[in-house]
Amino acid sequence: MDHLRYPPKPTPGDKVAVLAPSFGGPAYFPAPYELGLRRLREEFGLEPVEFPTTRMRDASPKARAHDIMAAFLDPDIRAVVAAIGGSDELKVLRHLDPAVLAEHPKPFFGYSDNANLLHLLWQAGLVGFHGGAVMVQWGRPGAMHPVTAASLRHALFVSGWRDLVECTHYTDEAQCDWSDPLTLVEEPTLSPAEPWEWHGPNTVVEGPAWGGCLEIIDYQLRASRYLSPLGRYDGAVLFLETSEEMPSAAYVYDVLMGMGERGLLERFAAVLVGRPKASSTESRRDAQTKREYAHAQRDAIVRAVAEYNPAAVIVFNLDIGHTDPQEVIPHGGDVRVDASARRITVRD
């Protein structure tokens, strides 16, 4: 198992690149984007720097890759933050040079489709940060959630261990219209959250985190070129979450089955699972239907892990990925899972 390198941290006053490596969301929905930029400046003390494709509609994968390389090569840029996720960042990776990224390490923040770039950075030996989007976490209506803000602030500025928080309330529903700035005024309504749910042995495991949005991991498995040799995952901590596509429990099981048949799933010491996004603007669900969906997904994961890696610790209902609040996971960074103490800590 390799230990990946943490890039140097920015400090307040530094410049950070804001990119759209996947979807040009800032061009379509400027209101939450501008709100997120303002909070980066006023609440985090950072100076966001936009690149040519950041506000561009339908920028080509090659053009987006050019901006990523330029941001990493720019000595004045101290971190790189994604504006939002999307759906085709996999096509950007072929235009990037991992060796150059490794020579000019910068902390990268993003999730959802940005897990593609996080996996490439893993190949390059660099820790990235799964979490944070300018339009979503920084651009949250009303105010940033305090758990989200604290997690991002620690991951950005502090080198050291941090406990993940077991939140009592959350939301996975979009409660504002990004095309109407007036809907960005009121904070989202939160609902009671199910507590962490533990399965497996009462043991302590520690290893580098690898994972992200399950749908993107599926892309990675199919493309395969951006996966590392299997031995690099020995003892790592797998983390998973699902997006607004709301995949079926059968799909979730099939992806894990593919990981198992590849000989990958058995490598991990623990599996951490985010609260599944169970409602969307296109498919509103009541609380009971959402609970049933989440439990079906949980059962599918438990079944797959039991078949391929029965010694692994599994924890469900973490606030990672497509949920509010959202906690950052250092992708490639150290994670300690203490099943006996019911405690999860990460090293930013």
Side-chain angles (χ1 to χ4, degrees), residues 249-250 252-253 256 295-305:
V252 171
Y253 174 83
L256 291 175
H295 291 178
Q297 185 181 111
R298 175 203 60 196
D299 293 345
I301 294 171
V302 168
R303 180 160 66 97
V305 175

Side-chain angles (χ1 to χ4, degrees), residues 81-92:
V81 183
I84 196 171
S87 63
D88 75 340
E89 193 172 300
L90 183 65
K91 296 190 290 189
V92 172

Side-chain angles (χ1 to χ4, degrees), residues 128-153:
F129 294 91
H130 181 272
V134 174
M135 295 176 64
V136 185
Q137 282 68 43
W138 276 281
R140 183 178 186 263
M144 294 186 73
H145 192 287
V147 170
T148 304
S151 179
L152 283 167
R153 193 168 278 110

Side-chain angles (χ1 to χ4, degrees), residues 27-107:
Y28 293 87
F29 304 105
Y33 177 63
E34 293 289 351
L35 176 58
L37 292 180
R38 188 171 78 240
R39 289 186 178 140
L40 271 173
R41 293 189 185 99
E42 296 177 0
E43 298 182 22
F44 282 70
L46 296 169
E47 184 57 39
V49 178
E50 298 180 43
F51 281 68
T53 63
T54 305
R55 294 189 192 234
M56 186 181 297
R57 296 177 182 234
D58 303 319
S60 70
K62 188 173 183 179
R64 284 176 268 152
H66 183 273
D67 280 359
I68 294 170
M69 295 301 298
F72 273 80
L73 285 166
D74 188 334
D76 292 331
I77 297 294
R78 300 303 304 276
V80 180
V81 183
I84 196 171
S87 63
D88 75 340
E89 193 172 300
L90 183 65
K91 296 190 290 189
V92 172
L93 302 188
R94 70 172 62 202
H95 303 289
L96 300 174
D97 188 337
V100 173
L101 298 177
E103 291 170 5
H104 301 84
K106 307 281 174 69

Side-chain angles (χ1 to χ4, degrees), residues 86-279:
S87 63
D88 75 340
E89 193 172 300
L90 183 65
K91 296 190 290 189
V92 172
L93 302 188
R94 70 172 62 202
H95 303 289
L96 300 174
D97 188 337
V100 173
L101 298 177
E103 291 170 5
H104 301 84
K106 307 281 174 69
F108 171 71
F109 287 79
Y111 67 105
S112 192
D113 199 31
N114 293 294
N116 284 295
L117 182 50
L118 289 169
H119 290 172
L120 188 72
L121 293 172
W122 168 292
Q123 275 198 325
L126 294 178
V127 173
F129 294 91
H130 181 272
V134 174
M135 295 176 64
V136 185
Q137 282 68 43
W138 276 281
R140 183 178 186 263
M144 294 186 73
H145 192 287
V147 170
T148 304
S151 179
L152 283 167
R153 193 168 278 110
H154 193 282
L156 269 164
F157 301 126
V158 181
S159 297
W161 290 91
R162 160 175 59 92
D163 282 346
L164 296 190
V165 178
E166 187 172 5
C167 296
T168 59
H169 290 78
Y170 86 110
T171 183
D172 63 345
E173 299 187 16
Q175 297 171 326
C176 72
D177 178 0
W178 275 355
S179 63
D180 181 3
L182 294 178
T183 65
L184 295 171
V185 175
E186 293 188 14
E187 288 194 51
T189 301
L190 304 183
S191 301
E194 292 194 5
W196 289 354
E197 184 176 320
W198 294 75
H199 295 255
N202 281 328
T203 188
V204 179
V205 300
E206 183 177 325
W210 184 89
C213 183
L214 185 78
E215 296 94 305
I216 306 308
I217 291 174
D218 188 15
Y219 296 165
Q220 292 280 331
L221 291 169
R222 297 186 201 192
S224 75
R225 70 169 76 181
Y226 305 111
L227 293 176
S228 297
L230 290 177
R232 289 195 68 193
Y233 301 98
D234 287 342
V237 174
L238 174 65
F239 68 96
L240 305 169
E241 50 97 11
T242 50
S243 75
E244 66 276 0
E245 293 180 4
M246 296 188 294
S248 68
Y251 170 87
V252 171
Y253 174 83
D254 287 347
V255 174
L256 291 175
M257 178 177 64
M259 294 176 67
E261 291 300 322
R262 183 181 284 270
L264 178 58
L265 188 55
E266 68 193 53
R267 306 280 172 168
F268 297 101
V271 181
L272 308 180
V273 185
R275 302 184 194 280
K277 192 170 180 64
S279 184

